[in-house]
Amino acid sequence: MSNTNATKHSFQAEVKQVLDIVAHSIYKDRDIFLRELVSNASDALEKMRYTKLTEKEVFEPERELEITITPDEKAGTIEIADTGIGMTRDELVENLGTIAHSGTKAFLQKIKENGGGNENLIGQFGVGFFSAFMVADEVKFYTRSWKPEGESLCWTSDGNGEYTIETVDEALTRGSRLVVKLKDEYKDFSKKDKVKEVLERYSRYIAFPLNLAGEKLNTMQAIWLKSKSEVTEQEYKDFYKMHCHAWDEPLDWLHFSADAPLAINAILFFPTHNPEAMGFGRATPEVTLHCRKVLIDSEPKNLLPDWLRFMKGVVDSADLPLNISRETLQDSALIQKINRVLTKRVIKHLEEKAKKSPDDYAKFWKDFGNFLREGIATDEENRDILAPLFRCESSILDAGKLTSLPEYVERMKDSQKEIYYLVGANRESIEAGPYLEAFKSRGIEVLFLYDGTDDYVLNRLSTFKEKSIVSADAADIDLGDAPQTGTGEALPEDKMKSLCEWFQKVLGKEKVAECGAGARLVDSPAVALNQDKFMSASMRRVMRMMTRDSSGLSDTPVAVKVELNPRHTLIHQLDAMRDNNPELAQLVAEQIYDNTLVAAGLLENPRGMTKRIYTILEKLSGNTPAAK
């Protein structure tokens, strides 16, 4: 190297401060410097590609646009070279003699205002080049401008306040070559394997050839930036397996671009298998965040809502500052905007899938429904648009056939004001219970819920299309008159009133909060109803878990409203028995109460019930007057 035209320069005082901040404070991951330098090289190539189209005379127009990385373990250096636009002497002073030259004072002011929280400011100023000083004892930047009259120059600095610019004797090719002499503790970056690992993580999709010691690294294209019509099904599947490190094939994918409120290109994959259902523990998000093909964060927080954590893929936003720090991302308003766009796109995609391929969606609901249930229960912002994706069986549909809330509302009678549901272990248990009778006799549809979380989900939803969602075992439901399909005459009104008063008295108000004639009963003798119409029996069971004893059972009475069927034979016999055999009548009343709790799923401790049944059997087998 010659000293011809060598000039020495000093960084401005405030620039020295910024350089120290960049080198020691902003980036927590030191390997980020390599991503920054490769991104700068890519930008230089992009500018060169544009310059070729707009300028008549370009130095070495035939030279291929590419990036070459050369680690030298023996010399303890790493070189990053590009055949891009290069720089003139004045451009070196302007671009490398100052940091964010148009806003250095503002940069320092922001740091001061932020109380030293420097890491949150990187995205606002162009300081990526100087990240090299995190790992460097010295940086040499060889460059030759695209202009025909350009010089072969070298910019040199150790980051301690000064830099020199000099002409070199050798005739440089167009572009730039950055030589980083590594500090002892960072000599790993002079090893090919280490450099390859970093480049494959961050710069796999750079638009220009990326060569590492003769090996081309970026062999896979950034297909998310292509039009959907340009990507084949097999390319999607190959990309899914390689980018997402997946062993299965994708069940489906969503490929889209958006311009507002942000520029976004994304491919989101729905996996075939639910990892949580397979016992692999809680799924972790596998959607990476890129900016113009450069990886910003492999595990970005809040990019998608937590209930979409099963999804995989890539999101690229050109509106993100290329060198925004990971810490800034976590609280970034930009991320919140991307989150909203992605979430609504996924929901819309699932809606379309449900309409076009209901059987396929039913399978998806079976495998991934718990994630959507979680979304309805926890995501207040998207709850209403998620609700139509909920699926369950219904009293008027064949077993196994699912329906949605919109379909239920469409089938509702004009006079019906509420959406009704029942919770049970399976269809048979619900249909065998007493709660469906009233609705079935009136031709009112009831949704059947078998999953343990469904009633909580609908409770959180509470309404749909201005219709309240109500548990069908609730007491405060007015179904109006219904055709009586049961047999036998009803007890006279006065006798029925007296029987209900007696029933409540012998059981106690701590068990029977209210007792009355069952206008909703057809075939069953009695039923226990919830006082809270918006809380099913299964929800009450959850609440009662706090009162369980050491055996895991609860002896705390359940206060319910009991309805007795005035037409049922057992109720007629109970009315006669309370006069003829009061002791047996009380036992039968207690048994009826426990039976209603069993039907409601509220009886946790059967010990007293079992003993009582034997006592009743003994008394009946003794030919008591009531048994004749």
Side-chain angles (χ1 to χ4, degrees):
M1 179 185 297
S2 167
N3 290 325
T4 306
N5 296 324
T7 57
K8 182 175 289 189
H9 305 261
S10 295
F11 291 117
Q12 297 174 2
E14 56 195 15
V15 174
K16 293 178 185 178
Q17 299 176 49
V18 176
L19 183 57
D20 181 70
I21 290 167
V22 173
H24 300 100
S25 303
I26 287 180
Y27 296 106
K28 288 182 171 58
D29 297 325
R30 296 287 155 164
D31 55 8
I32 291 294
F33 88 93
L34 195 52
R35 181 194 74 177
E36 295 298 317
L37 299 180
V38 171
S39 297
N40 285 349
S42 178
D43 288 343
L45 293 170
E46 193 64 58
K47 291 176 182 177
M48 189 63 241
R49 179 157 56 185
Y50 177 77
T51 301
K52 280 185 176 183
L53 298 175
T54 58
E55 297 293 335
K56 293 181 179 179
E57 292 188 41
V58 172
F59 181 64
E60 297 181 334
E62 72 287 347
R63 185 167 294 280
E64 183 180 356
L65 301 178
E66 60 182 352
I67 302 171
T68 301
I69 313 293
T70 307
D72 188 333
E73 192 172 353
K74 184 177 180 180
T77 62
I78 182 171
E79 296 183 7
I80 299 92
D82 67 74
T83 56
I85 198 166
M87 292 191 196
T88 64
R89 186 180 292 265
D90 290 342
E91 288 169 340
L92 283 173
V93 173
E94 181 182 12
N95 295 320
L96 304 187
T98 60
I99 300 176
H101 56 85
S102 62
T104 305
K105 291 183 179 180
F107 185 90
L108 292 172
Q109 182 62 32
K110 284 286 186 180
I111 292 173
K112 185 177 180 180
E113 293 173 359
N114 206 38
N118 317 327
E119 69 275 4
N120 293 327
L121 300 171
I122 182 64
Q124 303 176 32
F125 299 90
V127 293
F129 171 85
F130 293 91
S131 63
F133 287 100
M134 292 191 299
V135 298
D137 272 334
E138 182 184 68
V139 172
K140 287 184 176 293
F141 185 72
Y142 296 91
T143 187
R144 205 287 186 191
S145 172
W146 63 273
K147 298 178 180 179
E149 69 279 9
E151 302 176 86
S152 294
L153 301 171
C154 178
W155 180 99
T156 305
S157 178
D158 59 7
N160 289 321
E162 294 182 339
Y163 64 92
T164 61
I165 299 175
E166 55 190 323
T167 304
V168 296
D169 292 335
E170 61 177 306
L172 300 179
T173 58
R174 189 197 67 229
S176 302
R177 175 166 55 93
L178 184 68
V179 181
V180 180
K181 185 178 181 181
L182 297 162
K183 297 178 181 178
D184 289 341
E185 61 267 39
Y186 300 119
K187 289 292 176 65
D188 276 357
F189 290 108
S190 66
K191 299 177 180 178
K192 179 180 178 181
D193 289 346
K194 172 66 174 179
V195 175
K196 183 177 180 179
E197 182 267 325
V198 175
L199 293 176
E200 287 186 337
R201 188 191 329 155
Y202 290 110
S203 306
R204 180 187 296 179
Y205 302 106
I206 288 290
F208 302 94
L210 179 61
N211 305 302
L212 173 62
E215 178 184 358
K216 185 175 180 180
L217 297 185
N218 53 339
T219 57
M220 178 165 281
Q221 294 183 329
I223 64 171
W224 64 84
L225 296 178
K226 291 185 174 184
S227 167
K228 287 186 287 187
S229 61
E230 297 177 329
V231 185
T232 67
E233 179 176 333
Q234 190 59 49
E235 285 176 321
Y236 281 120
K237 293 179 178 180
D238 291 344
F239 180 84
Y240 171 75
K241 289 182 177 180
M242 180 171 289
H243 180 83
C244 304
H245 307 289
W247 56 270
D248 61 346
E249 289 202 344
L251 177 68
D252 195 10
W253 53 82
L254 169 61
H255 182 181
F256 75 92
S257 60
D259 295 323
L262 291 168
I264 297 174
N265 290 275
I267 299 179
L268 300 176
F269 292 95
F270 299 82
T272 298
H273 299 93
N274 178 348
E276 294 185 5
M278 297 175 69
F280 292 151
R282 185 176 178 82
T284 55
E286 295 186 47
V287 179
T288 59
L289 180 63
H290 294 242
C291 175
R292 298 188 293 275
K293 305 180 187 178
V294 177
L295 179 66
I296 299 297
D297 197 341
S298 59
E299 297 179 358
K301 292 184 179 180
N302 305 320
L303 186 64
L304 285 171
D306 193 50
W307 57 270
L308 283 177
R309 60 186 175 276
F310 64 93
M311 300 203 72
K312 306 172 185 289
V314 58
V315 175
D316 192 315
S317 176
D319 288 333
L320 285 174
L322 183 59
N323 47 7
I324 190 171
S325 73
R326 184 172 300 181
E327 291 78 9
T328 303
L329 276 174
Q330 293 177 12
D331 300 314
S332 172
L334 290 173
I335 292 298
Q336 294 175 21
K337 289 180 181 179
I338 294 175
N339 178 299
R340 292 189 183 98
V341 173
L342 297 178
T343 302
K344 286 177 170 52
R345 288 283 187 146
V346 170
I347 294 174
K348 182 181 178 181
H349 180 80
L350 290 174
E351 286 178 345
E352 293 173 350
K353 184 179 184 68
K355 290 178 182 178
K356 295 178 180 178
S357 305
D359 291 341
D360 290 342
Y361 180 76
K363 183 181 184 308
F364 173 81
W365 174 260
K366 178 183 177 182
D367 295 335
F368 293 89
N370 280 347
F371 294 102
L372 302 189
R373 291 182 178 97
E374 182 181 333
I376 296 172
T378 62
D379 191 342
E380 294 185 9
E381 181 177 349
N382 295 296
R383 181 174 294 150
D384 290 341
I385 60 175
L386 268 171
L389 295 175
F390 183 86
R391 292 293 185 272
C392 61
E393 289 192 22
S394 159
S395 60
I396 68 169
L397 300 177
D398 294 336
K401 185 172 179 59
L402 301 182
T403 191
S404 67
L405 292 174
E407 290 169 340
Y408 179 100
V409 171
E410 286 182 8
R411 293 190 294 260
M412 285 175 61
K413 296 181 177 182
D414 293 338
S415 59
Q416 186 177 336
K417 304 300 182 184
E418 296 171 321
I419 297 171
Y420 302 106
Y421 69 90
L422 284 170
V423 182
N426 48 51
R427 189 181 188 95
E428 291 74 19
S429 65
I430 294 177
E431 291 181 330
Y435 299 104
L436 190 61
E437 296 175 7
F439 299 90
K440 190 174 181 180
S441 65
R442 293 164 174 80
I444 298 176
E445 182 178 4
V446 178
L447 299 175
F448 290 170
L449 310 182
Y450 313 135
D451 189 278
T453 61
D454 278 345
D455 56 332
Y456 176 72
V457 170
L458 293 189
N459 184 267
R460 291 288 292 164
L461 186 59
S462 74
T463 61
F464 182 78
K465 299 290 186 182
E466 301 181 351
K467 305 287 185 180
S468 295
I469 302 175
V470 177
S471 176
D473 62 2
D476 188 18
I477 294 178
D478 182 10
L479 297 179
D481 296 330
Q484 293 292 345
T485 58
T487 59
E489 293 184 7
L491 277 175
E493 187 175 339
D494 58 337
K495 278 197 170 188
M496 194 64 201
K497 181 179 179 182
S498 175
L499 177 62
C500 289
E501 291 173 350
W502 171 85
F503 190 92
Q504 184 180 29
K505 181 178 179 181
V506 298
L507 269 298
K509 289 187 177 180
E510 72 277 6
K511 292 183 177 179
V512 181
E514 186 180 347
C515 183
R520 288 164 51 175
L521 291 169
V522 178
D523 298 318
S524 300
V527 67
L529 301 174
N530 280 313
Q531 297 295 89
D532 186 346
K533 68 190 295 185
F534 299 107
M535 181 180 291
S536 70
S538 61
M539 283 292 290
R540 293 188 66 173
R541 287 198 298 274
V542 174
M543 301 297 292
R544 282 173 56 77
M545 289 178 65
M546 294 182 290
T547 64
R548 290 180 173 178
D549 61 21
S550 59
S551 67
L553 301 174
S554 176
D555 288 310
T556 306
V558 180
V560 294
K561 176 182 179 180
V562 176
E563 287 191 356
L564 304 178
N565 187 347
R567 294 177 178 274
H568 201 279
T569 302
L570 178 59
I571 301 304
H572 282 252
Q573 291 176 339
L574 179 63
D575 182 53
M577 197 184 303
R578 66 190 177 106
D579 293 327
N580 299 333
N581 192 338
E583 183 181 353
L584 179 59
Q586 181 168 344
L587 289 173
V588 172
E590 291 174 348
Q591 189 61 43
I592 289 174
Y593 166 77
D594 277 357
N595 284 357
T596 64
L597 295 188
V598 170
L602 292 172
L603 185 69
E604 295 184 32
N605 192 345
R607 290 175 296 197
M609 178 179 176
T610 304
K611 183 178 179 180
R612 187 190 311 114
I613 290 174
Y614 286 128
T615 302
I616 293 174
L617 289 174
E618 288 175 3
K619 288 183 177 294
L620 290 176
S621 65
N623 199 26
T624 62
K628 291 181 180 179

